[in-house]
Amino acid sequence: PPTPPSELVKISTSTAKPKQQYPLQCTTKSLNQTCPYNYPTNYSSTNNPGRPSTCPDYFHWIHEDLRPWKETGITRQMIEGARRTANFRLVILHGRVYVEKYRESLQTRDEFTLWGILQLLRRYPGRLPDLELLFDCDDRPVIPAKNFRRPNSGPPPLFKYCSDPWSLDIVFPDWSFWGWPECNIKLWRNASKDVQEGSKSIKWKDRVPYVYWRGSPNVAPWRADFLKCNATNNAEWNVRLYAQNWEKQAEVGYKESDLKGQCTHRYKIYIEGWAWSVSEKYILGCDSMTLVVKPKYHDFSIEGCCHWCIIGPLETMINANLSNMKMEYVYDYMFHLLNEYAKLLKFKPVIPPKAVELCSEAMACEAEGKWRMFMEESLELSPSNGLSCTLSPPYDPLALRSFLDKEANLTKQVEMWEDKYWEKLNPRRK
């Protein structure tokens, strides 16, 4: 590619907005949209910002996700091993982005994932190293750890939205952080504000004293079974469960799927779909006691989370949870993950022959409707006016083992309570 002009942008650490902004530069529809070269390609800060804040605890799992390649590094042969299921290959070279697509994703998952990566580069220009990776936009992890137990077995590095304890897929923030037009769900920066406003509108003690869940039962058999727990004329389990039909919701303007209006019950349920569910962050964002049906999968922010040991005032827990999930931390997680990943590469990234250069203009200028609106709302207009949070070193092996054992023991304790309840209710159940 042509070498872009070198431009150094000095970033102030004050709370004032950066002096210069870089809106979309769309050409007329009669011309082919090209990627502009005037966005800064270098980054520096002024006024000695000092040591940035330490990243939230879940950033530790970046090291764990990349541990399979710590000793061997990542070779091109390993990369190509992930080609079988990948939706696209991403190359970052000299601060610019190139993409080769292999197959379409469900809805626009791939588009908004790529959009998020482009915004990361606008937020931290010149701070992402050259790299090459493969991304799979489907739900379930596909790299089983059991197939790569031998030394130097070379597991293929593949980026996904979720993984599980038996897989080696590298977890990356999902597309909905930049909006989910098909379901009328706003970008996370706006959706999280709506959820907080909804949670503050009704005090917990004044809420409906039942468990609430709304979702699609068709994505997994256990969700269909879950609906059998709904109240009937003969049974009352104190739950209110609603099947979500997205086609009908579109017809009525998504009135029943408004996130702001779903914090009306004292308790909420999180149950996985075909894999981990995007609904997780919206459910946890409500000031309600969240009951988690034993999860199998994890996304980037819940990886390593102890599901059974959250004790404390509800408002304090929810505020802390949303604070650690603000969009700035989502970008910082992406930033550190890609930087740590790039350190492991044992080959020089190259632009594939069939790849195209991608930039915000190439994606947004031709988009229409909600797709265009969400992209404009999530566009990073200026480089960040501060440094990223500081990534902590990997867990000590003994500390990690202790943490995992604690999680397993607490899970067993909850299962024992469950068994005792059913035995008491029905002594013949055994």
Side-chain angles (χ1 to χ4, degrees):
T3 303
S6 177
E7 181 180 352
L8 182 64
V9 173
K10 292 187 176 181
I11 305 299
S12 170
T13 56
S14 67
T15 57
K17 292 183 179 179
K19 293 181 180 179
Q20 190 168 1
Q21 293 188 344
Y22 300 83
L24 291 173
Q25 303 175 56
C26 297
T27 59
T28 60
K29 295 214 172 186
S30 59
L31 300 175
N32 291 328
Q33 182 64 54
T34 59
C35 295
Y37 281 96
N38 70 324
Y39 199 83
T41 57
N42 292 291
Y43 177 103
S44 73
S45 58
T46 61
N47 300 332
N48 189 15
R51 185 175 182 179
S53 61
T54 302
C55 299
D57 285 345
Y58 62 84
F59 279 58
H60 277 289
W61 294 87
I62 290 175
H63 301 294
E64 300 309 316
D65 277 2
L66 298 177
R67 188 175 295 279
W69 303 275
K70 183 179 179 181
E71 299 298 328
T72 63
I74 296 174
T75 65
R76 178 163 293 283
Q77 183 179 6
M78 293 177 187
I79 287 276
E80 298 306 325
R83 169 70 178 80
R84 179 177 56 86
T85 66
N87 289 87
F88 62 83
R89 183 188 303 265
L90 173 81
V91 176
I92 298 178
L93 200 59
H94 308 308
R96 300 183 78 84
V97 176
Y98 305 87
V99 176
E100 181 181 19
K101 288 194 175 182
Y102 300 123
R103 60 187 180 94
E104 293 298 321
S105 72
L106 179 65
Q107 298 177 335
T108 49
R109 292 183 178 191
D110 55 350
E111 295 293 319
F112 277 88
T113 298
L114 289 167
W115 175 260
I117 294 172
L118 291 174
Q119 302 321 301
L120 173 66
L121 270 72
R122 287 173 69 92
R123 182 176 178 83
Y124 293 129
R127 295 189 62 197
L128 269 293
D130 293 350
L131 60 86
E132 187 172 339
L133 63 83
L134 291 175
F135 205 109
D136 184 333
C137 300
D138 288 343
D139 287 323
R140 288 184 169 179
V142 294
I143 311 296
K146 65 180 182 181
N147 293 351
F148 304 96
R149 289 175 177 168
R150 300 190 312 274
N152 302 318
S153 55
L158 181 66
F159 285 71
K160 295 275 290 190
Y161 302 126
C162 76
S163 189
D164 61 37
W166 307 278
S167 303
L168 302 179
D169 303 65
I170 302 170
V171 184
F172 196 83
D174 73 86
W175 72 96
S176 67
F177 282 99
W178 296 273
W180 193 357
E182 293 88 350
C183 295
N184 198 46
I185 294 178
K186 302 176 184 177
L187 56 146
W188 175 241
R189 187 171 277 142
N190 294 345
S192 61
K193 292 179 182 178
D194 287 349
V195 172
Q196 289 183 73
E197 289 178 9
S199 68
K200 292 177 181 178
S201 63
I202 306 177
K203 293 182 178 179
W204 190 84
K205 64 182 181 65
D206 297 327
R207 296 185 184 184
V208 180
Y210 296 116
V211 175
Y212 174 93
W213 180 80
R214 177 180 290 277
S216 173
N218 302 323
V219 296
W222 44 89
R223 280 194 176 185
D225 288 342
F226 180 49
L227 283 181
K228 298 175 183 177
C229 298
N230 226 334
T232 67
N233 293 332
N234 301 320
E236 172 59 86
W237 296 99
N238 297 329
V239 295
R240 299 296 182 263
L241 312 176
Y242 303 91
Q244 182 83 316
N245 185 315
W246 285 109
E247 292 182 358
K248 289 185 178 179
Q249 284 301 306
E251 294 174 0
V252 300
Y254 300 95
K255 292 180 181 179
E256 296 177 351
S257 59
D258 178 38
L259 295 173
K260 194 173 182 177
Q262 294 190 36
C263 296
T264 55
H265 291 64
R266 291 182 184 175
Y267 311 95
K268 296 196 74 174
I269 284 280
Y270 171 70
I271 181 171
E272 293 178 334
W274 183 240
W276 139 95
S277 173
V278 166
S279 65
E280 177 187 69
K281 54 182 173 290
Y282 310 112
I283 292 173
L284 292 174
C286 272
D287 185 11
S288 300
M289 177 64 75
T290 302
L291 308 176
V292 181
V293 179
K294 187 178 179 180
K296 177 180 178 181
Y297 304 96
H298 58 257
D299 71 346
F300 79 103
S301 65
I302 300 298
E303 188 170 15
C305 175
C306 181
H307 295 284
W308 313 117
C309 55
I310 301 178
I311 301 174
L314 279 175
E315 185 175 356
T316 301
M317 290 190 295
I318 297 304
N319 288 342
N321 179 64
L322 287 178
S323 176
N324 286 341
M325 278 291 291
K326 59 186 179 181
M327 203 62 205
E328 288 79 0
Y329 282 136
V330 176
Y331 279 125
D332 282 0
Y333 190 94
M334 297 162 61
F335 172 78
H336 285 300
L337 174 59
L338 293 180
N339 268 283
E340 295 300 312
Y341 169 83
K343 293 176 184 177
L344 298 171
L345 297 183
K346 296 295 185 180
F347 62 93
K348 182 177 177 59
V350 296
I351 303 173
K354 296 182 180 180
V356 296
E357 184 177 3
L358 208 59
C359 60
S360 297
E361 282 75 10
M363 295 192 69
C365 292
E366 298 298 323
E368 297 178 346
K370 289 179 182 177
W371 286 259
R372 174 66 178 264
M373 180 181 71
F374 284 178
M375 287 181 179
E376 288 184 345
E377 289 180 349
S378 59
L379 180 72
E380 291 290 309
L381 285 170
S382 301
S384 170
N385 63 350
L387 300 177
S388 61
C389 63
T390 302
L391 181 65
S392 299
Y395 281 122
D396 173 84
L398 292 178
L400 177 61
R401 184 71 262 166
S402 176
F403 176 87
L404 296 175
D405 288 344
K406 182 179 180 181
E407 168 78 355
N409 290 335
L410 287 168
T411 301
K412 290 178 181 178
Q413 179 65 62
V414 173
E415 291 172 342
M416 288 175 58
W417 291 337
E418 196 174 82
D419 291 340
K420 287 182 179 179
Y421 169 81
W422 286 111
E423 289 173 11
K424 185 177 179 180
L425 192 66
N426 184 7
R428 297 181 180 181
R429 186 169 180 264
K430 284 189 175 182

